[in-house]
Amino acid sequence: MQKRTFIKRLGQLALASPFTPHLSYSQSRLTINGKQPYIETDDFWLKIRADYDIKPDYINLESGYYNIIPIPTRQKLEEHIKMVNFEGTYYMRTVQWDNKKAAAARLAKLVNCSPEELIITRNATESLDMVITGYPWQEGDEAIMAEQDYGSMLDQFKLAARRYHIVNKVVSVPNHPESDEEIVQLYENQITPKTKLLFISHMINITGHILPIKKICEMAHRYGVEVLVDGAHCIGHFDVNIEELDCDYYGTSLHKWLATPLGAGFLYVSKKKIPKIWPLLAEHRREPYDIARLNHTGTHPVYTDLTINDAIDYHEKIGVERKENRLRFLQHYWTDTVRNISGVIVNTPIDKTRSCGIANVGMAHLEPQELADTLMNEFKIFTVAIDGANVHGCRVSPNVFTTTEELDEFIKALKTIAARA
Ligand SMILES: Cc1ncc(COP(=O)(O)O)c(C=O)c1O
C-alpha cells in the first residue's frame, strides 16, 4: 500500500472505530526510528493502535511493568477526576463505597468468582503481601515458592520467616518443562506435614511461562496445603477463571494487562478462608466472612477505582479471547522466527498453552544488560534485562498496539546482533 493511500485508509478506519470518540492520532504516532508508516495489515488492530498515544522515540516492547492506557480510558479517568474534585467530600461520604463495590463486582464477573470474594487493592504487591504477612503462621510452618517468583513476594516471605519463624522452601522452575506433571512433581516434592501455603506465579514475570495452576491446586489440596497465586501478569492478558483454578487466594495488578490507571489491583480470597487472614490495615468491626474486613485503605484516589469499569469496557470491546489470541500471536510471530538462530536463546516454552504475549530472549555471547542496551541504543527497541533465577536475557512484552512491522524490526535487530558473535 502506498504511504498516502495508507494514511487515508487509516483516517477512514479511525472514523469507523467504535472505541475512539476523540481520536488524537497523528502521523508521528506511527513513526518509529524516524521511519513511517508502519503498515498494519489487520484493520482492527490498526484502529486499536490509533487509540493510543505512542511515544515515537522507540519501539516499546516493555509493557510488562505497566500498560499505558488507551485514550478512551484516559479520557474517562480525566472525567472521574473532575467529578470527584467537583463533588468533593460529598462524593466520599455518599457513593464512594457503593461505586468501589460495583467495580469489584464487575471484576468478579470478569474472572468468574463471587463478588463476596474479591476486593480492589492498590496492586499485586498489596494483595499478595496481605496474605503472606496476614497468614496465621505458627513457628515451624513451611511455605513453598520458586526462585522465579517476583522478588517483592520472596522478600515478604523472608520477612515472615524472620517474624514468625516459618521455613521457606524454594524450587527452581525449568524454562522448558516436559509436561505439567514435571512442574506439579517439583512442588509436590517439597510438601511435608508442616507445609501450609504454596505460593506460585500464574505467569512467571521474567519469562512469560504460564504454570498449570489448576493441577497444582488439585495436588496441594490433597495434602491440605493452601495455594496463593500471583496473577500479576494474567488479568486482561488471557482468560482467567478463578472458580476453575480452585485456588485459595489470587492477587493481581490491574494496571498491567487490564490497562487501568496506575494503582489498581485485586485480591480474591475463597469465602471459607476470609476469616483466617489478618488484614494489612485494621478495619472497623466486620463479620468474619465479610471480605471488606481485608479492605481498609484510608483515603485513596477513588477515580482510579471508578476507571476500572472503563478499562473493562475497553477490554471487552476488544474481546477477551481476541486480545489473548493477538498477544499470543505477536509473541510467536517473533519467537518462532528467532528460536533456531545460532546463539539466540529463547527462555520461554514453545508450547502455546504455556505462554501468551510475554517471552524472554538471550544471546549466548552477550550479558542480558548488554543486549538490552544494544537493542535500545542501536536499534531503538525498549526491553528489560533479566539476569538471575536461571533466566538470562531480555523480557519482551508487546501490547495490543504493537505491529508486526515493529516486530520485524526487532527480529532484524536480533539477527544482526546474533551474527556478530
Ligand atoms: C509476577 C509479579 N508479581 C507481582 C508484581 C508486583 O506488581 P505491582 O508492582 O503492580 O504490585 C509484579 C510486577 O511486575 C510481577 O511481575
Side-chain angles (χ1 to χ4, degrees):
M1 203 185 303
Q2 291 299 306
K3 185 169 147 186
R4 203 177 312 148
T5 321
F6 167 75
I7 291 167
K8 193 171 157 211
R9 171 113 184 84
L10 181 67
Q12 288 162 350
L13 288 168
L15 287 173
S17 169
F19 309 130
T20 49
H22 303 290
L23 199 71
S24 65
Y25 168 77
S26 76
Q27 208 177 311
S28 69
R29 293 208 174 94
L30 283 188
T31 306
I32 304 290
N33 294 347
K35 289 186 233 149
Q36 61 166 324
Y38 276 84
I39 299 166
E40 173 60 89
T41 49
D42 183 333
D43 289 356
F44 179 83
W45 295 108
L46 188 58
K47 282 190 271 182
I48 295 296
R49 184 175 170 96
D51 272 349
Y52 281 85
D53 247 335
I54 294 174
K55 196 174 170 193
D57 306 41
Y58 48 79
I59 296 173
N60 180 3
L61 297 182
E62 220 306 67
S63 283
Y65 194 144
Y66 91 95
N67 279 210
I68 56 170
I69 60 179
I71 294 162
T73 308
R74 199 184 69 201
Q75 285 170 336
K76 291 288 184 185
L77 171 65
E78 286 159 7
E79 283 170 27
H80 296 315
I81 292 173
K82 278 188 201 154
M83 182 277 289
V84 170
N85 200 52
F86 180 68
E87 295 285 337
T89 301
Y90 184 76
Y91 177 84
M92 305 300 260
R93 291 207 184 279
T94 53
V95 289
Q96 174 192 179
W97 297 107
D98 290 342
N99 286 348
K100 187 164 184 168
K101 222 171 159 182
R106 186 96 193 272
L107 284 166
K109 191 158 175 249
L110 182 73
V111 299
N112 195 29
C113 70
S114 159
E116 293 175 4
E117 298 176 310
L118 184 145
I119 50 172
I120 293 172
T121 60
R122 283 173 294 189
N123 47 47
T125 305
E126 180 177 312
S127 305
L128 299 164
D129 286 2
M130 174 143 38
V131 177
I132 298 167
T133 208
Y135 198 83
W137 299 112
Q138 303 286 322
E139 189 169 339
D141 282 348
E142 293 177 5
I144 304 172
M145 62 219 67
E147 64 167 337
Q148 288 80 13
D149 290 326
Y150 195 66
S152 305
M153 280 82 246
L154 295 177
D155 286 342
Q156 193 72 11
F157 272 109
K158 284 181 197 151
L159 197 67
R162 283 166 52 205
R163 193 170 173 187
Y164 306 114
H165 308 289
I166 64 169
V167 177
N168 294 326
K169 296 192 154 180
V170 184
V171 301
S172 186
V173 177
N175 294 334
H176 302 285
E178 292 288 322
S179 64
D180 288 349
E181 286 61 41
E182 183 186 341
I183 303 284
V184 174
Q185 194 62 56
L186 181 75
Y187 283 88
E188 189 170 1
N189 288 346
Q190 298 301 320
I191 292 183
T192 75
K194 291 185 172 175
T195 310
K196 290 289 184 312
L197 189 64
L198 187 159
F199 174 66
I200 184 164
S201 298
H202 196 171
M203 175 186 267
I204 293 178
N205 85 93
I206 49 182
T207 56
H209 188 168
I210 298 174
L211 298 180
I213 300 301
K214 189 174 160 56
K215 289 184 182 173
I216 289 279
C217 292
E218 276 166 9
M219 175 278 291
H221 289 163
R222 281 205 307 276
Y223 294 91
V225 172
E226 294 176 51
V227 182
L228 166 62
V229 181
D230 179 348
H233 282 282
C234 306
I235 307 303
H237 188 157
F238 57 91
D239 193 20
V240 174
N241 184 328
I242 289 188
E243 191 181 296
E244 229 173 60
L245 294 177
D246 196 25
C247 56
D248 302 278
Y249 314 94
Y250 193 106
T252 189
S253 292
L254 301 171
H255 45 233
K256 292 186 187 285
W257 298 94
L258 194 60
T260 69
L262 283 165
F266 78 62
L267 171 65
Y268 158 86
V269 181
S270 156
K271 186 91 184 169
K272 44 190 186 303
K273 306 293 159 66
I274 293 170
K276 73 187 286 184
I277 300 299
W278 289 93
L280 205 56
L281 304 171
E283 168 62 345
H284 314 293
R285 255 178 81 89
R286 294 269 181 188
E287 293 302 316
Y289 287 91
D290 180 357
I291 196 163
R293 59 181 288 278
L294 301 176
N295 206 195
H296 193 88
T297 59
T299 310
H300 62 287
V302 290
Y303 29 78
T304 300
D305 303 339
L306 287 171
T307 315
I308 290 171
N309 268 308
D310 308 302
I312 297 177
D313 282 346
Y314 192 85
H315 180 63
E316 290 183 340
K317 274 179 194 164
I318 291 183
V320 178
E321 198 183 341
R322 179 155 48 181
K323 181 171 172 184
E324 172 177 341
N325 288 342
R326 174 66 176 180
L327 292 173
R328 186 171 281 114
F329 161 79
L330 291 174
Q331 187 254 112
H332 280 272
Y333 184 87
W334 71 268
T335 52
D336 289 354
T337 314
V338 303
R339 202 177 276 272
N340 294 322
I341 295 175
S342 169
V344 174
I345 304 156
V346 176
N347 296 306
T348 303
I350 193 165
D351 181 342
K352 286 199 166 64
T353 63
R354 292 188 201 283
S355 62
C356 195
I358 300 178
N360 182 299
V361 63
M363 288 279 167
H365 70 292
L366 279 186
E367 295 299 321
Q369 193 57 55
E370 288 176 302
L371 176 58
D373 290 345
T374 307
L375 284 168
M376 185 63 178
N377 299 336
E378 198 177 326
F379 298 94
K380 300 278 179 285
I381 296 172
F382 183 44
T383 61
V384 59
I386 307 288
D387 199 4
N390 198 30
V391 180
H392 309 284
C394 290
R395 181 180 70 180
V396 178
S397 41
N399 208 321
V400 288
F401 51 76
T402 305
T403 64
T404 51
E405 285 74 15
E406 287 179 313
L407 294 178
D408 287 338
E409 290 284 311
F410 178 52
I411 291 165
K412 211 161 71 184
L414 289 177
K415 285 180 176 170
T416 307
I417 297 168
R420 290 174 186 163

